[in-house]
């Protein structure tokens, strides 16, 4: 598809008003030169008024000097890569692993039973690998697979739409990561001496949620509210539950509290929707920026993040834990500052910078809440 777009956008006529992948206009008597290559026909006008020609999606092409570091993290500005193992790592989006790993830390802290000895540290590391590289990697690879048509519009240079990795290789990676994650969950249940394999069922439930989020016919991501909340729950609630169940008992009040916190996760998920507005609209996905417009959606995003944390601070204050509540409030302040400094100015341009600046304070707030519930 990218080669077709390149061919079409290379045909330009004087006075043409270019829109999308089609160019419409009337020929002028200016002479033209025609050159043929093996893959592309290029027609260039000898004299063209550049003010009359709109650029064709220049912001969608990867940077000429793309970053190898960004490629390994699976974020924008990635270098084009041919090494299959680097491409496989890119598909798992390692940049998305830390919230899951941190969720396990919060769950372990909330259990009140984690001890700094070799066995507990080893258990927690295995749980982090299960939650991050394995099951989050499975989720991200599968999401890229089912988003390949959207990515062909938004980011045609990504590994799958560009053809850098084959269909069979992608599907194999999805299965390997899924089975590895479920296998580690089962091992942790045996290691923890659980009579009921709660970690296995949490992993299985999370994997099923990931599948129906990305895959038809349900494809929860088609609905901005349901899809983003499901994503938020996957990033906040599930790893917390896994960490707490591994070292202690998962209680109903923790389930309710973490589901409430997942509304903040909904806001975080909306941040990623802004860069895909064009493709989502073309494919009929009702992300919140598509459904409400970018201006409204960015306020919904920050509102979900801030109001949720303020509500949790109020809960901690009502539970007689004022110092934890004040600590959480102190961590909300810099998030609001970065929202105005970056995200609310331009959610597309500054999405990565905003998340890098603000999210550390959000995840620290999660730990404060976990420590509060453990006492």
């Amino acid at each position: 598809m990218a080669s077709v777009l390149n061919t079409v956008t290379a045909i330009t006529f004087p006075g043409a008003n270019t829109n999308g992948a089609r160019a419409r206009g009337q020929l002028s008597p200016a002479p033209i030169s025609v050159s043929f290559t093996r893959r592309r026909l290029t027609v260039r006008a000898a004299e063209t008024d550049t003010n009359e020609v709109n650029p064709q999606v220049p912001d969608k092409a990867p940077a000429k000097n793309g970053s190898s570091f960004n490629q390994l993290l699976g974020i924008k500005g990635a270098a084009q890569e041919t090494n299959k193992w680097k491409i496989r790592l890119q598909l798992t989006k390692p940049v998305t692993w830390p919230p899951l790993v941190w969720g396990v830390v919060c769950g372990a802290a909330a259990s009140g039973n984690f001890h700094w000895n070799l066995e507990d540290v080893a258990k927690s590391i295995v749980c982090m690998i299960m939650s991050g590289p394995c099951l989050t990697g499975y989720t991200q690879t599968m999401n890229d697979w089912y988003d390949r048509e959207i990515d062909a519009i938004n980011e045609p240079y990504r590994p799958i739409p560009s053809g850098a990795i084959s269909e069979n290789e992608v599907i194999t990676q999805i299965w390997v990561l899924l089975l590895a994650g479920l296998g580690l969950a089962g091992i942790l249940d045996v290691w923890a001496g659980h009579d009921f394999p709660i970690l296995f069922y949490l992993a299985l439930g999370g994997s099923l949620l990931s599948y129906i989020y990305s895959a038809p016919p349900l494809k929860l991501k088609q609905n901005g509210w349901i899809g983003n909340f499901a994503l938020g729950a996957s990033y906040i609630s599930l790893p917390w539950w896994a960490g707490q169940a591994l070292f202690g008992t998962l209680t109903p009040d923790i389930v309710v509290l973490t589901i409430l916190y997942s509304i903040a996760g909904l806001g975080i998920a909306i941040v990623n929707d802004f860069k895909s507005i064009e493709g989502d609209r073309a494919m009929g996905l009702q992300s919140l920026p598509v459904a409400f417009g970018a201006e409204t959606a960015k306020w919904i995003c920050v509102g979900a993040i801030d109001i949720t944390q303020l509500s949790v601070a109020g809960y901690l204050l009502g539970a007689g834990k004022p110092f934890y509540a004040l600590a959480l409030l102190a961590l909300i302040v810099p998030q609001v500052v970065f929202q105005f400094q970056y995200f609310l100015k331009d959610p597309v341009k500054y999405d990565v910078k905003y998340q890098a600046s603000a999210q550390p304070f959000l995840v620290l707030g999660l730990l404060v809440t976990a420590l509060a519930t453990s006492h």
Side-chain angles (χ1 to χ4, degrees), residues 14-349:
N17 181 15
T18 307
N19 184 15
R22 298 183 179 180
R24 297 190 300 271
Q26 294 182 350
L27 294 175
S28 70
I32 61 174
S33 63
V34 182
S35 62
F36 294 89
T37 64
R38 186 165 62 90
R39 296 182 58 190
R40 181 179 301 171
L41 165 67
T42 305
V43 182
R44 296 185 179 88
E47 295 181 2
T48 302
D49 184 355
T50 55
N51 293 328
E52 296 179 1
V53 180
N54 294 328
Q56 292 296 310
V57 291
D59 57 324
K60 296 224 171 95
K64 291 181 180 179
N65 300 316
S67 166
S68 297
F69 183 68
N70 287 13
Q71 188 273 330
L72 293 175
L73 291 180
I75 59 178
K76 291 190 301 184
Q80 295 296 91
E81 184 58 67
T82 57
N83 183 290
K84 282 293 172 67
W85 289 107
K86 290 183 178 180
I87 292 171
R88 289 184 182 280
L89 183 63
Q90 181 181 358
L91 286 174
T92 66
K93 293 188 180 69
V95 74
T96 64
W97 300 352
L100 282 294
V101 170
W102 191 257
V104 173
V105 172
C106 292
S111 73
N113 294 320
F114 176 83
H115 302 93
W116 287 100
N117 56 49
L118 182 60
E119 183 178 10
D120 282 4
V121 170
K123 283 180 184 177
S124 64
I125 290 173
V126 173
C127 193
M128 291 172 187
I129 294 171
M130 174 198 75
S131 300
C134 291
L135 294 182
T136 305
Y138 148 79
T139 299
Q140 295 295 346
T141 306
M142 182 175 57
N143 188 61
D144 265 24
W145 172 249
Y146 284 108
D147 273 1
R148 61 193 184 277
E149 294 179 354
I150 296 176
D151 286 342
I153 299 172
N154 292 321
E155 300 173 281
Y157 49 84
R158 287 194 58 77
I160 297 176
S162 69
I165 188 168
S166 71
E167 173 182 338
N168 287 337
E169 288 170 326
V170 175
I171 292 173
T172 299
Q173 176 163 319
I174 291 170
W175 277 106
V176 168
L177 292 172
L178 172 61
L179 294 176
L182 294 177
L184 288 178
I187 290 171
L188 286 170
D189 277 318
V190 174
W191 196 351
H194 292 157
D195 295 327
F196 178 79
I198 184 170
L199 287 166
F200 176 82
Y201 280 106
L202 283 174
L204 185 63
S207 302
L208 177 60
L209 182 62
S210 297
Y211 178 78
I212 64 175
Y213 172 81
S214 297
L218 293 179
K219 199 158 187 163
L220 299 181
K221 67 183 299 178
Q222 292 181 110
N223 182 290
W225 293 109
I226 298 174
N228 284 331
F229 183 75
L231 194 62
S234 298
Y235 273 75
I236 292 179
S237 298
L238 285 172
W240 181 316
W241 296 350
Q244 185 155 351
L246 178 61
F247 293 103
T249 303
L250 188 58
T251 57
D253 58 324
I254 289 296
V255 170
V256 172
L257 181 62
T258 51
I259 288 177
L260 173 63
Y261 233 124
S262 295
I263 298 174
L266 178 151
I268 296 169
I270 297 172
V271 175
N272 297 316
D273 289 336
F274 286 91
K275 68 178 184 294
S276 305
I277 292 176
E278 183 180 340
D280 289 347
R281 186 180 290 116
M283 301 303 297
L285 299 183
Q286 288 297 302
S287 66
L288 295 187
V290 171
F292 293 95
E295 190 65 26
T296 301
K298 69 184 184 182
W299 286 103
I300 294 174
C301 174
V302 299
I305 294 171
D306 298 342
I307 293 172
T308 297
Q309 294 179 92
L310 289 171
S311 299
V312 173
Y315 164 80
L316 295 178
L317 186 61
K321 299 175 181 180
F323 295 109
Y324 289 103
L326 289 173
L328 183 54
L329 287 173
L331 290 168
I332 296 172
V333 173
Q335 294 177 61
V336 174
V337 171
F338 288 124
Q339 285 164 3
F340 280 95
Q341 184 176 354
Y342 296 125
F343 185 72
L344 293 173
K345 282 185 178 179
D346 191 332
V348 177
K349 182 178 180 180

